[in-house]
Amino acid sequence: MYKSFLEHLEQSLFQRFDLQSRPIPAGLESQVSERGRNPAVIQSWCYQCPEFRKIRYTYIDAGASAQILNSVVYPSHHYELPLLGIDFLSFGQVKNLIVMDFQPLFQDEAYLRKYIYPLKTLHDQYPDLAQGLEMKFYDANQYFSKYLLFAKTDTETVKTRVFEAFKDYLNLYWQMLEDAKPLTEAEDIRRIVKAQKNYDQYSADRDPASGLFSSYFGHEWAEKFLYEFLFEDAVPLAATAAKK
């Protein structure tokens, strides 16, 4: 379902950036599950370059049961850019959920005007993919922009409109990076380090995908995947509670 998206993302990245492989903890790069109706294969990739400290993407292929592409792009701490977040999930032929956004690190007006408002014109081209759905697990006002694409749609729309929007959002994000000026003050950089760590903690605490990973690959593997790869700057809730 999303293999063409994965291929386009890789092509787009490798054409523009001098990517170096970023280590994935042993045993988390890929895994196979025989638990469901269809065997599920999960595979992840991770890179870094001067502009991005972490580019990660994961594909789950469970045949007709599930097709999932998830990616987060973390800019270098020298940039205050939003994170690029992508989540495309299909379960069978009927349930297709797409989420794509420039995820703001801060919600103050100056930051939003600089990094989020430029997204409006593009966002307005895809009203069918901005359905204003209710977020069950996240606060829509934290780490999400008002111009995110968030929709339930059909398979044909995924292949056409969603793919076009995906390419457009990527191109705008690369352009925004090109126009961005690196931070030089130590205090500004520390602020970004903290904001990105906070993003990881917030996301790990709420990510509904951990239940999906557990159902396919077991709880222990899912926890490692969540805290050692997806959101590696987050501390597991159990560890936080133990400290108290």
Side-chain angles (χ1 to χ4, degrees), residues 22 47-49 51-54 74-77 196 233:
R22 197 174 187 273
Y47 299 98
Q48 60 190 14
C49 61
E51 299 87 352
F52 298 119
R53 70 174 188 86
K54 182 180 180 182
Y74 295 77
S76 152
H77 291 138
Q196 289 196 8
D233 284 332

Side-chain angles (χ1 to χ4, degrees), residues 63-121:
S65 298
Q67 296 283 314
I68 297 167
L69 172 62
N70 170 267
S71 175
V72 177
V73 176
Y74 295 77
S76 152
H77 291 138
H78 289 80
Y79 292 100
E80 59 179 9
L81 287 168
L83 281 62
L84 177 64
I86 297 161
D87 223 1
F88 298 146
L89 308 95
S90 291
F91 299 99
Q93 290 293 309
V94 289
K95 189 177 178 185
N96 305 296
L97 183 69
I98 66 114
V99 187
M100 185 162 45
D101 197 17
F102 292 6
Q103 299 193 254
L105 292 173
F106 309 101
Q107 291 289 345
D108 59 275
E109 183 62 26
Y111 183 90
L112 297 177
R113 194 182 308 117
K114 190 172 183 180
Y115 295 110
I116 300 304
Y117 291 176
L119 189 53
K120 182 182 187 304
T121 304

Side-chain angles (χ1 to χ4, degrees), residues 35 209-223:
R35 290 185 176 195
S210 61
L212 179 76
F213 298 140
S214 292
S215 68
Y216 278 128
F217 308 106
H219 177 73
E220 187 179 341
W221 189 91
E223 285 290 289

Side-chain angles (χ1 to χ4, degrees), residues 20-235:
Q20 308 293 319
S21 287
R22 197 174 187 273
I24 299 175
L28 300 182
E29 317 97 312
S30 62
Q31 187 67 270
V32 180
S33 168
E34 302 287 348
R35 290 185 176 195
R37 201 179 325 145
N38 300 89
V41 178
I42 186 170
Q43 189 165 2
S44 296
W45 299 262
C46 200
Y47 299 98
Q48 60 190 14
C49 61
E51 299 87 352
F52 298 119
R53 70 174 188 86
K54 182 180 180 182
I55 301 163
R56 64 159 175 82
Y57 46 99
T58 295
Y59 201 97
I60 297 179
D61 182 353
S65 298
Q67 296 283 314
I68 297 167
L69 172 62
N70 170 267
S71 175
V72 177
V73 176
Y74 295 77
S76 152
H77 291 138
H78 289 80
Y79 292 100
E80 59 179 9
L81 287 168
L83 281 62
L84 177 64
I86 297 161
D87 223 1
F88 298 146
L89 308 95
S90 291
F91 299 99
Q93 290 293 309
V94 289
K95 189 177 178 185
N96 305 296
L97 183 69
I98 66 114
V99 187
M100 185 162 45
D101 197 17
F102 292 6
Q103 299 193 254
L105 292 173
F106 309 101
Q107 291 289 345
D108 59 275
E109 183 62 26
Y111 183 90
L112 297 177
R113 194 182 308 117
K114 190 172 183 180
Y115 295 110
I116 300 304
Y117 291 176
L119 189 53
K120 182 182 187 304
T121 304
L122 180 53
H123 174 268
D124 289 349
Q125 294 175 26
Y126 296 98
D128 51 324
L129 302 180
Q131 296 173 0
L133 304 176
E134 182 190 355
M135 289 194 177
K136 294 179 181 175
F137 301 95
Y138 300 100
D139 177 355
N141 299 311
Q142 195 167 1
Y143 301 118
F144 285 98
S145 83
K146 61 198 289 188
Y147 304 124
L148 85 159
L149 297 184
F150 187 22
K152 291 178 181 174
T153 190
D154 59 88
T155 304
E156 193 53 43
T157 302
V158 168
K159 293 175 185 171
T160 53
R161 293 280 289 165
V162 177
F163 193 45
E164 287 306 309
F166 176 67
K167 292 189 284 189
D168 285 345
Y169 267 57
L170 285 184
N171 287 337
L172 180 59
Y173 191 74
W174 308 146
Q175 185 60 53
M176 193 175 280
L177 171 72
E178 208 170 290
D179 296 340
K181 290 184 170 59
L183 302 171
T184 54
E185 297 293 327
E187 189 175 329
D188 292 336
I189 293 166
R190 280 196 296 271
R191 183 170 176 250
I192 303 305
V193 171
K194 184 174 187 298
Q196 289 196 8
K197 281 187 174 179
N198 289 346
Y199 168 85
D200 265 19
Q201 190 68 55
Y202 178 87
S203 301
D205 289 348
R206 290 161 179 77
D207 195 335
S210 61
L212 179 76
F213 298 140
S214 292
S215 68
Y216 278 128
F217 308 106
H219 177 73
E220 187 179 341
W221 189 91
E223 285 290 289
K224 283 173 66 86
F225 189 65
L226 190 70
Y227 288 104
E228 294 180 24
F229 175 59
L230 292 185
F231 305 111
E232 63 194 43
D233 284 332
V235 178

